[in-house]
Amino acid sequence: MQDHIELVNQLAIATPSPVNPIQLPVLQDYDVTLEVKRDDLLHPIISGNKWRKLQGHLQRVLNAKTQNDSPISALLSFGGGFSNHLHALGYCCYQLHMPFTAIVRGNYTSHFTPMLEDLQAWGTTIQFVDKKTYQRRYEPDYLRLLSHEHPKTRIIPEGGSDDLVLKGVASMLDEIEDLDEYEYLLCPVASGGTLAGIAQGLAERNSRCQVIGIAMLKGDTYLENLVRQLLPNEYPMPRIIHDFHCGGYAKCPTQLATFCDNFAEQTHIPVEPVYSGKLFYAIMQLIEQGFFPKGSRLLALHTGGLQGARK
């Protein structure tokens, strides 16, 4: 516990994050209450579920004494050119004076994104790979090759999602007063770790609150399989709604872009079209469709990360 507190202080994480009410006419029209767990306010860079999912990995590396008779001294992970995960992890490593290698899908050599420019400024080693190579990121042979090429390095999965993240994500629930007063807790789903952690945490706390995941990308069975692989079998599989990915990951049709602008203007809560914008877009659509019974109290998890809004 003391080690965790020291890590929080060292990285200046502002925990607990607040819960803010949303005031919009549609909520009154359908007699639904919506509040937002503002994990985007945990830190200006290490925000949202990125901190929840990374804290266990960082703590384990800092506490590690040996790995193959040698101390772990570096980290490696995967992501795209606008990855919130790589951005947060790169900054953590910079602050903790820990070497970091980012395996990036696609070649941005001639047109670095703002996220990649930040990584470069923080001393990250950036390695661009093609789509075929990137698809191997979960294959044991490829991971062994990377371990050989990067000794004394801990490899963190894309998005940070593995069984180590569940406890960190679930810890968010302890910050919510009157958790059982909410009928539904809603969150985005991409790599599965956040939804799995919340589902496990609610079950362990015997909470009446139901968690619903909103898919950020295509894949009706793909996302369910990701979550099921992370979630121990004794815990029930949460529901994932696949109707609001807007064409696929990072797709932003005009109606979604307009919604994000209007929502941010009306609520003063920043959102982007890859994760948080789609979450609130889905929630508003579901409310108007009568998905939630009258009198329902909803809690949305703002998972932070605004790389998708940077140009």
Side-chain angles (χ1 to χ4, degrees):
M1 182 63 180
Q2 184 61 36
D3 290 340
H4 175 73
I5 294 174
E6 290 177 2
L7 180 61
V8 168
N9 292 337
Q10 192 170 358
L11 294 174
I13 305 297
T15 186
S17 62
V19 173
N20 294 158
I22 296 290
Q23 303 293 339
L24 291 172
V26 66
L27 301 174
Q28 295 180 345
D29 293 343
Y30 288 86
D31 189 21
V32 172
T33 299
L34 175 61
E35 298 173 62
V36 184
K37 176 65 170 165
R38 296 290 307 275
D39 265 15
D40 58 309
L41 299 179
L42 286 172
H43 191 277
I45 296 175
I46 321 166
S47 68
N49 65 342
K50 303 315 169 191
W51 164 247
R52 306 288 186 187
K53 294 163 73 174
L54 288 174
Q55 57 182 310
H57 289 288
L58 294 170
Q59 196 67 65
R60 176 170 290 186
V61 172
L62 292 174
N63 292 343
K65 300 300 182 182
T66 61
Q67 182 179 13
N68 296 328
D69 297 323
S70 299
I72 300 172
S73 58
L75 291 175
L76 179 149
S77 196
F78 311 86
F82 292 86
S83 170
N84 292 304
H85 165 69
L86 290 182
H87 195 247
L89 183 53
Y91 181 79
C92 287
C93 290
Y94 171 67
Q95 291 294 321
L96 298 172
H97 307 289
M98 188 182 301
F100 176 51
T101 298
I103 306 295
V104 178
R105 179 184 65 251
N107 191 340
Y108 294 84
T109 303
S110 60
H111 55 288
F112 266 42
T113 66
M115 187 280 290
L116 292 171
E117 290 175 351
D118 286 345
L119 289 187
Q120 188 176 54
W122 297 331
T124 299
T125 298
I126 301 172
Q127 180 179 337
F128 298 116
V129 298
D130 58 26
K131 182 178 180 180
K132 184 176 181 180
T133 302
Y134 193 81
Q135 288 176 338
R136 300 184 60 199
R137 63 194 180 279
Y138 297 116
E139 295 180 6
D141 288 346
Y142 180 56
L143 295 176
R144 280 193 290 269
L145 175 62
L146 288 176
S147 294
H148 178 73
E149 294 176 346
H150 302 272
K152 303 181 182 180
T153 297
R154 178 174 179 81
I155 298 176
I156 296 178
E158 179 185 47
S161 289
D162 62 10
D163 56 358
L164 189 61
V165 312
L166 300 184
K167 183 177 179 181
V169 170
S171 68
M172 175 269 299
L173 299 173
D174 293 329
E175 300 175 5
I176 302 172
E177 295 184 8
D178 302 322
L179 177 63
D180 284 343
E181 295 300 313
Y182 298 97
E183 279 77 26
Y184 302 95
L185 193 163
L186 298 103
C187 71
V189 187
S191 60
T194 298
L195 181 59
I198 293 173
Q200 178 172 324
L202 289 174
E204 290 176 341
R205 289 160 177 78
N206 295 314
S207 175
R208 62 183 289 272
C209 181
Q210 301 179 49
V211 62
I212 296 177
I214 304 298
M216 300 290 108
L217 62 154
K218 291 182 180 179
D220 286 15
T221 58
Y222 172 73
L223 291 175
E224 276 80 0
N225 289 338
L226 284 180
V227 174
R228 186 72 274 173
Q229 290 169 15
L230 294 168
L231 189 62
N233 290 330
E234 61 266 30
Y235 299 108
M237 178 68 192
R239 180 174 182 179
I240 301 177
I241 296 177
H242 293 270
D243 300 333
F244 303 100
H245 53 65
C246 299
Y249 182 73
K251 299 294 184 181
C252 182
T254 302
Q255 68 268 25
L256 176 60
T258 300
F259 172 84
C260 290
D261 291 340
N262 291 339
F263 183 86
E265 181 179 354
Q266 294 169 351
T267 65
H268 306 291
I269 297 175
V271 296
E272 40 68 47
V274 180
Y275 294 101
S276 53
K278 282 185 180 178
L279 172 68
F280 289 108
Y281 177 74
I283 291 173
M284 296 306 164
Q285 293 289 315
L286 290 170
I287 289 173
E288 293 180 355
Q289 293 171 12
F291 179 87
F292 303 108
K294 287 187 177 182
S296 294
R297 187 178 179 189
L298 318 180
L299 179 64
L301 175 61
H302 193 317
T303 53
L306 295 174
Q307 297 310 305
R310 298 176 73 186
K311 304 298 182 181

